[in-house]
Amino acid sequence: MVKGEWIKPGAIVIDCGINHVPGAWQDICERSVIFTDCPCSLSFSDIEISRSCIPKPIDQVAREIGLLPDELELYGQTKAKVHLSALKRLKNQPDGKYVVVTGITPTPLGEGKSTTTIGLVQALGAHLHQNVFACVRQPSQGPTFGIKGGAAGGGYSQVVPMEEFNLHLTGDIHAITAANNLVAAALDTRIFHEQTQNDQALYNRLVPSVNGVRKFSEIQIRRLQKLGINKTDPAALTKEEVNLFVRLDIDPATITWQRVLDTNDRFLRKITIGQSPTEGGFSRVAQFDITVSSEIMAVLALSDGLDDMKKRLGRMVVASNKRGEPVTTDDLGVTGALAVLMKDAVKPNLMQTLEGTPVFVHAGPFANIAHGNSSVLADKVALKLVGKEGFVVTEAGFGADIGMEKFFNIKCRYSDLRPNVVVLVATVRALKMHGGGPTVSAGVPLPKEYTEENLQLLAKGCSNLSKQIQNARLFGVPVVVAVNAFKTDTKAELALVVQLAKEAGAFDAVECTHWAEGGKGAVALARAVQRASQTPSNFRFLYNVELPVIDKIRIIAQQIYGASDIELLPEAQEKVAVYTKQGFGNLPICMAKTHLSLSHDPEQKGAPTGFILPIRDIRASVGAGFLYPLVGKMSTMPGLPTRPSFYDIDLDTTSGEVNGLF
């Protein structure tokens, strides 16, 4: 009832509502919680809003959605892991409707995909009373302490508690870091020992005598079988067979496995390892990547269960030997140890939104340097729990040209799940940037072009929106555009985006105010998604994986990005030949490309055409199941800005509360 223009700066609007809850007001006053119904007066940080909500106990959420007590592993009062036995129990339950949220090419500030995902599920669940689940990625510590901040959503459309969500959660990313670096240590150690010992000395140490008995471990028997040696008695191997068994003969120049940590640290992009005198001069140039770009993260996200994850971990290729053959983690003997480190991480994490709707937070690969989607397992469990008429809303990272394309061509290919609706998030701000507006930078006030009405600039920038709608429709799925409204947007601007989205082929386009109003502000979007889900979804992949590697890359570049052709630099050409020879040429493609443009150049806005897409290198994530070309200057280790977010993050040692997250 209170209009924003009536309120003076600094005033507080409290809406007590009409539904009295005994004792609630006293609790609210004690915690200085403010609730507002007026979008224009919203001035509280995300973490303040998160704390204004007292979440339901997570075991209560689990009961409400149909999980059994023995399927839940509690991590305190607000989060839990869900055992995969739930998926087995529900295997005959029909799946619900499957919705993927993506976006136009964003500004560096982000356009609210996570917020829209949460707002949509709150609208479907708390307001339209549908069974609904959100499935989102766990954020990396790198952006949280760097420039982007957290990824729990924002305003009144958040996963809570947001500090739990944005920090350690249940330790999955730490497990991936430990597992990844165990592989790196095993790799370099094996090279060192092979260079400093003869065959017999290596054999005696790899197959030691314990209490007078020598035997192969299970993983060593697998290596023998791979070599065509069908023997189980260590004493029965010939000298030639011992040589084959103990010598991986790794070519250091072909090593693709890097160490990782979950921090933006630009000075680890290229390093020299092995400098200690104890390593006998066996040094080499290496690098660190950010943890979420580790192949183990991609394996977690694409696995179909614990057994499948273990097999994928064993198939990961770390280098080639001097004969040009792939060397895997199974060859290193480390597969079982990796499975042990990852045995808990494979279970999806259960949380909730501000309005009490359930959320799975599981896996977190970046979309620009990995495939950018949460886990297949979380989606599958959620689809069973919501039932045939329910909805599962999952998010694909960055723009539709990156996260959505990989969602369809990689995630859906391995999961066998078929989406019903695409929700494409757009903002007036980003579209003005694509129309030629000034540079948008984090931490810098927006130029007046973004805060004043400018229909001409906006209309020109809608070329990006049209292209991304076209990209989604290439896969045969209906598109609903969510116009995420900001307080500086005018009615005419919002109406223009809605109009042009429909003209470009969207099933519907809806203005949304979920950031300021929670689920209430996304009810129109939820109804549009419901209607779209009733229409036929003629899903299809963009390419056949049996096509040559270069052809698959070219199809993505031309049909999704708008390029006229691709250019493979010499290193990339060499990798195509190597991977094809090694039998990996039929894997899907995961392009590592800037998220700030449809092209490889972040300065090219709108919907550029006619450009040549340069492919610098191609790497293989064989365990995860894709090849990833590096486009342009794409880096796998982000750097910190001049003033990172950690300047504002602090701990109140009296209350124990985390401050400064956003």
Side-chain angles (χ1 to χ4, degrees), residues 353-586:
T353 71
L354 275 167
E355 297 181 19
T357 49
V359 180
F360 273 142
V361 186
H362 199 214
F366 279 178
N368 55 350
I369 52 180
H371 76 285
N373 288 269
S374 60
S375 78
V376 166
L377 279 168
D379 289 1
K380 286 193 169 185
V381 176
L383 284 163
K384 296 298 183 186
L385 287 169
V386 298
K388 186 177 181 180
E389 300 304 318
F391 290 83
V392 170
V393 182
T394 191
E395 177 195 346
F398 291 129
D401 56 304
I402 303 182
M404 183 199 70
E405 181 269 315
K406 296 171 184 177
F407 171 82
F408 289 142
N409 282 320
I410 298 175
K411 185 176 180 180
C412 290
R413 200 182 294 269
Y414 285 120
S415 70
D416 287 327
L417 298 174
R418 297 296 176 258
N420 299 92
V421 184
V422 170
V423 173
L424 184 69
V425 179
T427 63
V428 168
R429 174 182 70 191
L431 292 171
K432 285 181 175 179
M433 177 194 71
H434 287 295
T439 300
V440 175
S441 302
V444 178
L446 287 171
K448 64 180 179 60
E449 286 83 354
Y450 300 104
T451 58
E452 299 176 0
E453 186 173 286
N454 191 325
L455 297 177
Q456 183 178 357
L457 195 65
L458 178 60
K460 185 179 178 183
C462 280
S463 62
N464 186 272
L465 172 62
S466 298
K467 175 58 177 166
Q468 298 289 31
I469 292 171
Q470 176 192 332
N471 285 343
R473 294 187 68 197
L474 280 173
F475 295 90
V477 184
V479 183
V480 175
V481 173
V483 187
N484 189 14
F486 289 26
K487 64 181 180 180
T488 54
D489 301 338
T490 68
K491 289 183 178 180
E493 288 176 329
L494 294 168
L496 179 61
V497 177
V498 168
Q499 173 195 332
L500 294 178
K502 292 178 180 178
E503 290 176 2
F507 174 86
D508 203 353
V510 182
E511 177 188 339
C512 305
T513 55
H514 45 272
W515 182 81
E517 298 183 287
K520 175 185 173 183
V523 167
L525 173 64
R527 289 192 172 122
V529 167
Q530 283 181 305
R531 292 193 301 272
S533 72
Q534 302 302 321
T535 64
S537 176
N538 302 309
F539 177 72
R540 55 186 173 269
F541 296 118
L542 188 66
Y543 54 79
N544 185 327
V545 290
E546 300 300 326
L547 289 172
V549 173
I550 294 176
D551 290 355
K552 289 181 285 192
I553 296 172
R554 183 177 285 111
I555 288 171
I556 296 171
Q558 292 179 334
Q559 296 195 33
I560 300 295
Y561 307 156
S564 60
D565 206 349
I566 60 173
E567 178 190 12
L568 268 68
L569 301 183
E571 190 169 0
Q573 293 177 18
E574 181 183 335
K575 292 292 182 61
V576 168
V578 169
Y579 296 144
T580 302
K581 181 181 177 182
Q582 291 179 340
F584 307 138
N586 62 348

Side-chain angles (χ1 to χ4, degrees), residues 167-226:
L167 298 175
H168 304 285
L169 197 59
T170 57
D172 295 349
I173 291 180
H174 301 320
I176 292 166
T177 303
N180 184 101
N181 292 342
L182 178 61
V183 174
L187 173 63
D188 286 309
T189 297
R190 185 59 176 262
I191 294 172
F192 171 77
H193 287 307
E194 286 190 26
Q195 289 176 327
T196 55
Q197 299 179 54
N198 62 36
D199 289 358
Q200 194 58 49
L202 276 170
Y203 192 57
N204 291 342
R205 287 172 172 83
L206 287 170
V207 193
S209 175
V210 179
N211 297 324
V213 178
R214 298 179 75 182
K215 65 177 183 178
F216 295 117
S217 66
E218 181 181 330
I219 200 166
Q220 288 177 324
I221 290 174
R222 285 205 301 271
R223 171 152 175 80
L224 288 168
Q225 291 171 343
K226 179 180 176 180

